[in-house]
Amino acid sequence: MDFHVELQGRRDLAGQIYRGLRAAILDGRLRRGERLPPTRELALRLDVARNTVSVAYEWLAAEGLIAARTRAGSIVQGEASRPRGRAGREAQVPLRARAFWRALPDLPAPLAPAAYAFGVGSPDVSSFPFEAWRRLVARQLRAATVSGGYVDAAGHRGLREAVARHVGIARGVRADAEDVLITNGAQQALDLVGRVLIEPGDCVAMEEPGYPPARQVFQSLGARVVPVPVDAEGLDVAALPDAARLVYVTPSHQFPLGMPMSPARRVALLEWAKRRDAVVIEDDYDSEFRFGGRPLETLHGMDRSGRVLYVGSFSKVMIPMLRLGFLVAPPSLQRELRWARRVMDWHSPVPEQAALARFIDSGLLARHIRKMRREYEARHTCVAEGLARHCGDWLQVVPSVAGLHLSATFRKGGVTLERETVARARAAGVGLINLSRYFAGPRARPGLVLGYGGMPATRIPEGMKRLGACLSTVAGLTKD
């Protein structure tokens, strides 16, 4: 048996040796009972360190393909002649996922970072107090604080108490720890609500335009999602379908357009839900960053019939990779929601939950929010002024006084103008999002969505100048 393993360069030597020997075992070139060379001998043949070969042997042993025997060395014990490679795959019967998943487009390949990236939903992670956060997490990872078991599916008790206090003070949400369930971000909260409340075929109403991941999670559960138009006052309550079992809204900062839902519409929505025995999900995804006017009362704070489920996340106010959010739900659903969470993945990582509780209770979260609110307000102003100065002939800014992004609609022209503008801007180093992607129905309104959370204020003017130049060029070439 020739034990030569092709080594491409010097990278991942142990992995290459492991893969070469594994392939030889599985396709029958190395048969059950055969003895592998001693690690020292094979290391000499391949001109690598003995420890490198030892690691490869350990991986093979962990997979059950070889076994170390006293005085006999390493013996092959895996099954021979398993079909591998393209021929083996072609012989397999293709498995088919449900129709919903097959209909989804391929996930987009990651784009190279743009020099002027106006990405939506991205906070400024460079300003996050990492040192303070690291100390809090390290404290929770000490042996004395780590439990060997699982915790309540609703989440760490201390974090639930801290969240209840935080949303009570910051947003007027009436809740205590028993009303709060900690989730892996807002998306999991939506999935949990859908699992507990939605039957296949149920009607779910959503804003149009709206948040695509929310639409997809409801559709994945078998719901019939109906888009409902929005105007300057937010969701058009009069257009809600009578059959809607659940309504998903972003009333504090409509996503993606940015206007708040008017007080009259809020009252109308709550009255409609009561009449129709429906549930309202209030996604308050970035209301901490409101730059002007008095704070808007939440639907949850206005609700007196227990029909509003309040969803929040720490992705925007902290860092997205933390993946911690929360759901405030009435007692009548808590038992079922806890069961759904336990069935799904039991609970979020406990050390991070405990650290976040201390982060909130020590005042670090409130301090960070105050700092970033000032910073984001300056960027919001800079983007709005840049759009007016360089893009005003083509774009109309949608008024907004909160959040991490601004939307603008084209004064004239259609989706071709939008698509060409986004492509040309990307080529000029300006990354932004086309508004039409947030529409579910055929009557998509062309425009642009510009996030400024991850863009330093000093870079925004040049990005706006480049966008204006792209618009000028595209408008002259496009007859849409």
Side-chain angles (χ1 to χ4, degrees):
M1 169 67 194
D2 182 3
F3 288 98
H4 175 69
V5 178
E6 291 186 20
L7 302 179
Q8 300 174 356
R10 305 291 293 180
R11 296 183 57 195
D12 192 22
L13 298 181
Q16 293 179 50
I17 294 168
Y18 158 76
R19 289 188 291 271
L21 292 174
R22 185 181 188 276
I25 293 170
L26 293 179
D27 65 19
R29 286 179 287 140
L30 276 172
R31 300 184 179 277
R32 181 188 294 273
E34 284 194 55
R35 177 176 176 272
L36 295 185
T39 55
R40 187 186 304 277
E41 178 184 331
L42 185 55
L44 288 172
R45 292 189 195 181
L46 300 176
D47 190 26
V48 298
R50 182 183 179 186
N51 186 58
T52 300
V53 177
S54 297
V55 169
Y57 278 26
E58 288 172 5
W59 290 345
L60 292 168
E63 198 173 350
L65 295 177
I66 67 173
R69 297 181 182 174
T70 304
R71 298 184 180 179
S74 297
I75 306 298
V76 175
Q77 64 176 18
E79 294 291 336
S81 302
R82 295 186 189 177
R84 283 294 185 271
R86 183 170 298 277
R89 291 197 299 272
E90 289 173 352
Q92 296 176 1
V93 176
L95 302 179
R96 290 175 65 81
R98 286 173 44 216
F100 166 79
W101 299 104
R102 297 200 307 271
L104 291 176
D106 291 340
L107 290 170
L111 295 172
Y116 303 89
F118 294 93
V120 176
S122 300
D124 183 355
V125 297
S126 67
S127 298
F128 184 71
F130 282 104
E131 281 304 308
W133 177 252
R134 181 187 60 78
R135 288 193 296 270
L136 290 172
V137 173
R139 186 179 306 165
Q140 297 302 323
L141 286 173
R142 293 181 301 187
T145 61
V146 174
S147 168
Y150 299 95
V151 301
D152 188 340
H156 184 273
R157 176 78 188 190
L159 180 55
R160 288 156 52 204
E161 293 173 347
V163 167
R165 287 190 294 269
H166 170 69
V167 297
I169 295 170
R171 301 295 293 128
V173 173
R174 294 171 286 107
D176 58 29
E178 298 305 320
D179 302 314
V180 177
L181 189 140
I182 304 301
T183 62
N184 289 331
Q187 191 72 6
Q188 187 180 58
L190 301 180
D191 189 63
L192 287 171
V193 173
R195 287 170 182 259
V196 167
L197 292 179
I198 295 174
E199 297 282 358
D202 279 353
C203 177
V204 172
M206 276 192 60
E207 298 162 319
E208 175 78 337
Y211 184 51
R215 184 185 309 125
Q216 290 164 347
V217 76
F218 298 136
Q219 289 174 332
S220 74
L221 296 170
R224 178 171 60 91
V225 179
V226 177
V228 179
V230 300
D231 57 24
E233 293 188 71
L235 181 80
D236 183 358
V237 178
L240 283 169
D242 291 342
R245 172 84 173 89
L246 185 151
V247 182
Y248 170 85
V249 289
T250 53
S252 296
H253 185 225
Q254 199 281 329
F255 186 90
L257 292 178
M259 77 286 287
M261 184 183 289
S262 70
R265 290 280 177 87
R266 292 168 185 250
V267 171
L269 176 58
L270 292 174
E271 291 177 347
W272 181 93
K274 186 175 181 179
R275 288 196 310 271
R276 296 293 176 182
D277 191 25
V279 175
V280 176
I281 297 180
E282 178 180 17
D283 189 345
D284 208 18
Y285 65 99
D286 65 359
S287 62
E288 293 88 352
F289 303 122
R290 182 169 178 79
F291 313 131
R294 64 179 181 85
L296 298 174
E297 187 175 8
T298 63
L299 284 172
H300 188 279
M302 298 171 64
D303 179 31
R304 294 296 179 267
S305 60
R307 298 184 178 278
V308 176
L309 280 66
Y310 182 88
V311 173
S313 171
F314 294 98
S315 295
K316 306 296 186 295
V317 298
M318 295 179 66
I319 45 179
M321 67 175 58
L322 183 60
R323 302 309 303 144
L324 284 176
F326 58 92
L327 168 65
V328 178
S332 58
L333 291 179
Q334 284 295 334
R335 173 183 173 276
E336 290 78 9
L337 287 168
R338 283 166 164 81
W339 261 113
R341 182 64 200 273
R342 178 166 174 158
V343 167
M344 183 184 296
D345 64 354
W346 209 308
H347 58 73
S348 303
V350 177
E352 285 85 346
Q353 292 188 65
L356 180 53
R358 292 292 306 147
F359 192 78
I360 296 172
D361 288 340
S362 65
L364 286 170
L365 178 63
R367 189 183 311 161
H368 180 62
I369 289 174
R370 287 195 299 270
K371 171 187 173 183
M372 298 315 299
R373 185 185 294 125
R374 293 191 296 269
E375 179 60 36
Y376 291 146
E377 182 176 11
R379 300 181 194 186
H380 176 280
T381 301
C382 196
V383 170
E385 292 176 349
L387 286 170
R389 180 179 301 112
H390 300 291
C391 311
D393 291 342
W394 304 280
L395 293 172
Q396 174 68 48
V397 176
V398 180
S400 172
V401 291
L404 303 181
H405 71 269
L406 267 176
S407 293
T409 56
F410 281 99
R411 296 183 183 276
K412 59 182 179 179
V415 293
T416 300
L417 176 61
E418 177 198 69
R419 183 174 60 251
E420 293 297 326
T421 299
V422 171
R424 187 170 288 270
R426 181 77 196 185
V430 181
L432 37 79
I433 304 294
N434 46 319
L435 177 62
S436 63
R437 70 182 293 179
Y438 297 107
F439 285 79
R443 303 185 66 176
R445 188 174 183 183
L448 303 175
V449 186
L450 298 98
Y452 46 78
M455 272 287 288
T458 55
R459 296 179 61 79
I460 291 174
E462 176 61 22
M464 293 294 96
K465 182 179 178 181
R466 293 189 182 200
L467 175 58
C470 293
L471 278 165
S472 179
T473 301
V474 171
L477 298 174
T478 305
K479 302 302 180 182
D480 189 355

